Amino acid sequence: MAKAVTKTDAVSASDLAERFKDVSEAESRVAQRLLDATLDRPPPPKVRFSDDGSGFSMALEHQDPERALIALHSVTGVRNNDAVNMLLDQLTRLAASDMDKLDATRTNRAIAMMDEIKPSDGPEAMLAAQMVAVHVAAMQCFSRALMGDQTFMGRDLNLKHGAKLTRIYAQQVEALDKHRRKGQQTVVVEHVHVNDGGQAIVGSVSSAKI
């Protein structure tokens, strides 16, 4: 189970404002979005690994242990501590080249990617973790396909697997959007013909699935 240790890793809104005070108008808009994101959600916590001889242990790096756990719950969108730790363990295994070589940098990047999806409940958290996994696997396939010494067969196989994974990712995005809309469908009427005595409805017509 992850435990919190003390180390400053968060950047405050005031720090960001000071850092981006002398920028162009376009850069200012980007900086404002960064500020808004910082105010809307806490930055994802970072992890570190240590080996005490009996096995690896993982700890959250943060100046405040309670805030570190809150940030981790914010990343996953789930309430149960066991569920949070399960997801964190899965992201750790995803980022490791093997379980004897745990990689804190890659794990932190996977956590950050999950945070960008902003899951808000259990199903969204599991789907977000799967989306990160599929994206990583697809990019690995494309990377192997572009290796200079790759064979024609190897390049073709990796490109096919990568393309399949990107289609799966698109389906995951659609599933996430559908879940967030709670099954609500929107029908847009572009052409309306009204007979004498009839009445037209202008705008979108929404209906919820039962």
Side-chain angles (χ1 to χ4, degrees):
M1 178 179 293
K3 59 182 179 180
V5 295
T6 57
K7 181 177 178 181
T8 302
D9 61 69
V11 178
S12 66
S14 59
D15 291 335
L16 285 174
E18 178 65 23
R19 183 184 303 176
F20 297 130
K21 65 179 182 179
D22 298 320
V23 296
S24 68
E25 182 177 347
E27 292 169 332
S28 178
R29 289 194 295 268
V30 175
Q32 186 60 54
R33 287 198 294 270
L34 291 175
L35 287 170
D36 292 342
T38 302
L39 296 173
D40 181 55
R41 292 167 65 89
K46 294 184 181 297
V47 303
R48 67 174 176 83
F49 300 110
S50 59
D51 186 359
D52 58 5
S54 61
F56 285 98
S57 63
M58 177 170 55
L60 299 177
E61 297 183 341
H62 203 285
Q63 59 185 354
D64 185 329
E66 292 184 356
R67 290 177 60 191
L69 294 176
I70 290 173
L72 191 56
H73 278 273
S74 174
V75 169
T76 61
V78 300
R79 297 172 295 175
N80 188 282
N81 287 333
D82 288 336
V84 170
N85 280 285
M86 184 194 75
L87 289 166
L88 188 56
D89 177 70
Q90 291 171 339
L91 290 176
T92 299
R93 294 173 183 275
L94 170 68
S97 55
D98 60 65
M99 291 312 295
D100 292 328
K101 298 179 181 178
L102 298 180
D103 191 323
T105 299
R106 293 177 63 180
T107 299
N108 289 327
R109 290 171 179 172
I111 293 172
M113 286 301 299
M114 185 170 178
D115 184 62
E116 287 294 317
I117 300 174
K118 299 181 179 180
S120 61
D121 57 25
E124 288 188 14
M126 290 183 284
L127 186 55
Q130 294 166 22
M131 291 170 71
V132 173
V134 169
H135 169 75
V136 170
M139 297 306 292
Q140 288 176 343
C141 286
F142 291 136
S143 178
R144 286 193 292 266
L146 297 175
M147 292 174 61
D149 58 349
Q150 182 62 268
T151 64
F152 176 84
M153 183 177 297
R155 181 176 293 107
D156 182 65
L157 186 62
N158 278 289
L159 287 174
K160 287 180 178 178
H161 282 307
K164 182 178 181 180
L165 288 165
T166 56
R167 289 193 295 271
I168 293 174
Y169 182 84
Q171 293 171 352
Q172 291 174 322
V173 172
E174 184 178 354
L176 180 62
D177 180 62
K178 183 177 181 180
H179 173 77
R180 286 176 169 171
R181 288 187 284 110
K182 306 301 180 184
Q184 188 180 51
Q185 292 182 323
T186 300
V187 180
V188 179
V189 181
E190 296 182 349
H191 302 285
V192 180
H193 300 281
V194 183
N195 297 323
D196 292 340
Q199 183 176 359
I201 301 175
V202 180
S204 299
V205 180
S206 299
S207 62
K209 288 184 176 179
I210 300 177

